[in-house]
Amino acid sequence: MKGSNLESTWENYIIKGAEIYTGDRLPFKGYVEVSGGKIVDVGRGDPEDESRVSSVVDLDGYKVIPGLIDLHIHGYLGCDVADCSWDTLLLLAQSLAEVGTTSFLPTLGAMPADCIEDVVTQVKKAMGIGGGGRAEILGLHLEGPFLNPEKRGAMREDYLLQPSLDLISKWFQLSEGTLNRVTLAPEIRGAREVISFLVEKGVIVAAGHTMATYEQTLDAISQGVRVANHTYNAMRGFHHRDPGIIGAVFSDSRIWAEVICDGVHVHPGAVTALLAAKGTEKTCLVSDAIAPSGLGPGLYNSLGSDIIVDEEGRACLADGTLGGSTSTLMDCVINVMRWTKEPLERVLPMATVNPSEISGVSHRKGTLTPGKDADFVVLDNCNEVVFTVVGGQGPQR
């Protein structure tokens, strides 16, 4: 990388000479100008006037992509959302920026009610701190506790609760608008009332850890459920005489399909089938990473249970149940490229554009567009993260 030192100023600068992947256009060799944490210009070739900025960095031979957005992540590098600590959340945000994720929804699995309340409070506090080149916390994702015990996956059954309007109303009020998404099983008693409340309040509702039938899922979609939580995993399976939730997700364009592409949770052929049904336009990649991610093989505690991570990175409970992923979102992007033979520009929107739309931040994130936040990742020719910039600040390596 030639030119001025990018770290010398973060007020205004230009990166040029790179292959620019805006997220909504074909890639081109060009430049991105940043000022005050925002993208002010993106163009082909060289900028007309470089004198108006304090730094210019030549990234010839590198790629620049929009920052990745992970809507389903429990932890990374030992940082666990369930720790109920704002400083842990900030450490998580720092670590994620270093691997290309610039925005995320810290995700809390089913936990006791007092823990949920603590996490709601701590996420709200962490969101108020912001900056520092850390990945931005977009809000809280509650994956539970209103889940079907038959499809609890790695969730502890004693932490599961029947949907309660009183509880969800209490948590929403406590969040002061920072509750972004709730995943629940739409078929269990009391779910309809909770779904209606959340939709009215503008909270994203996802169907997950569910035994919902085809008909029940279509009804839930009509109520306002908009996302299938880690499609295929912890949900009723597909059968030609009982298509279940998967059949409804495949056939209804109103719902987004979230999928874990770590190579463990879902077979590449099932990912290909999902993309054939939903297209890249309605599919969202997530990591579903847990706190042991990035730490290597060993015995850990996550989601309130002991988790064994093997040499291949597979995380399981003692009985073999999958206990979350140990992959980053960038790992998932690269896996899908390899499985489908699609180029980066085709796969990238599923980890940038689509999650920005789902989470309600597409007006400021998801693409490299003038006026949006200066969140971007620099990749080498092997698609390895070189450094990350969040809100114009960085680089995070």
Side-chain angles (χ1 to χ4, degrees):
M1 288 172 278
K2 308 174 206 174
S4 302
N5 181 5
L6 191 58
E7 295 178 88
S8 64
T9 178
W10 289 107
E11 184 55 35
N12 56 87
Y13 57 90
I14 290 173
I15 56 172
K16 68 175 186 177
E19 196 75 9
I20 307 294
Y21 291 74
T22 62
D24 56 1
R25 288 186 275 167
L26 291 174
F28 55 86
K29 191 163 187 174
Y31 65 92
V32 178
E33 182 178 345
V34 174
S35 181
K38 297 288 185 179
I39 297 170
V40 296
D41 193 17
V42 179
R44 297 177 182 274
D46 291 327
E48 291 184 6
D49 181 12
E50 298 180 1
S51 64
R52 64 178 180 268
V53 298
S54 53
S55 290
V56 178
V57 178
D58 190 340
L59 291 177
D60 185 33
Y62 294 89
K63 303 172 185 176
V64 176
I65 66 171
L68 306 185
I69 304 173
D70 198 343
L71 303 186
H72 192 148
I73 179 166
H74 299 274
Y76 180 67
L77 278 183
C79 299
D80 196 326
V81 174
D83 282 351
C84 307
S85 164
W86 64 268
D87 51 345
T88 296
L89 289 166
L90 294 183
L91 284 173
L92 174 59
Q94 182 71 48
S95 298
L96 290 177
E98 294 171 3
V99 291
T101 296
T102 59
S103 304
F104 69 109
L105 293 181
T107 301
L108 183 67
M111 296 296 285
D114 58 346
C115 175
I116 292 173
E117 292 173 16
D118 286 345
V119 170
V120 168
T121 301
Q122 295 302 308
V123 167
K124 179 174 61 178
K125 182 175 181 179
M127 288 179 68
I129 296 173
R134 294 181 291 263
E136 182 178 345
I137 299 172
L138 300 177
L140 176 63
H141 171 195
L142 289 179
E143 188 186 17
F146 309 139
L147 310 175
N148 192 319
E150 288 187 58
K151 289 295 180 181
R152 64 183 181 276
M155 306 290 183
R156 283 180 47 167
E157 187 168 3
D158 56 328
Y159 292 165
L160 303 186
L161 298 174
Q162 287 292 121
S164 164
L165 197 55
D166 287 341
L167 277 178
I168 201 64
S169 176
K170 179 181 180 181
W171 297 337
F172 176 78
Q173 290 176 1
L174 187 62
S175 78
E176 296 182 354
T178 61
L179 180 60
N180 184 282
R181 168 177 159 183
V182 174
T183 293
L184 51 70
E187 76 279 9
I188 58 179
R189 182 169 53 84
R192 290 184 65 87
E193 292 77 13
V194 170
I195 292 169
S196 295
F197 172 84
L198 291 170
V199 170
E200 180 185 346
K201 298 299 184 182
V203 177
I204 304 300
V205 184
H209 292 269
T210 172
M211 280 294 289
T213 65
Y214 179 83
E215 292 78 14
Q216 287 171 330
T217 306
L218 291 181
D219 180 58
I221 294 170
S222 294
Q223 266 198 281
V225 169
R226 285 293 172 263
V227 181
N229 189 71
H230 49 48
T231 305
Y232 294 118
N233 297 114
M235 59 176 54
R236 189 188 199 99
F238 178 88
H239 188 277
H240 60 283
R241 287 191 294 273
D242 179 16
I245 181 174
I246 294 173
V249 171
F250 274 33
S251 61
D252 197 312
S253 62
R254 294 174 294 174
I255 190 167
W256 297 85
E258 174 188 283
V259 62
I260 309 166
C261 292
D262 61 348
V264 174
H265 279 77
V266 182
H267 189 281
V271 174
T272 302
L274 177 65
L275 290 173
K278 301 298 290 182
T280 57
E281 299 83 3
K282 295 295 288 187
T283 303
C284 179
L285 306 185
V286 295
S287 71
D288 195 23
I290 56 175
S293 303
L295 297 180
L299 177 63
Y300 304 94
N301 188 276
S302 182
L303 303 174
S305 301
D306 286 340
I307 298 285
I308 302 166
V309 178
D310 67 17
E311 296 289 342
E312 284 73 44
R314 185 183 178 96
C316 297
L317 303 182
D319 64 2
T321 301
L322 289 176
S325 166
T326 61
S327 293
T328 67
L329 188 53
M330 192 65 212
D331 292 335
C332 296
V333 169
I334 292 171
N335 284 341
V336 175
M337 289 172 62
R338 187 173 73 252
W339 298 340
T340 63
K341 311 302 181 191
E342 291 285 359
L344 180 60
E345 63 267 23
R346 285 277 295 159
V347 176
L348 199 55
M350 294 187 284
T352 55
V353 177
N354 297 355
S356 76
E357 292 184 8
I358 293 171
S359 57
V361 294
S362 60
H363 60 291
R364 62 186 183 92
K365 295 185 184 292
T367 61
L368 299 182
T369 303
K372 292 191 178 184
D373 295 345
D375 297 348
F376 60 86
V377 184
V378 176
L379 305 176
D380 62 19
N381 281 329
C382 295
N383 293 320
E384 295 288 334
V385 174
V386 179
F387 67 84
T388 304
V389 171
V390 184
Q393 298 184 356
Q396 306 301 320
R397 297 185 179 90

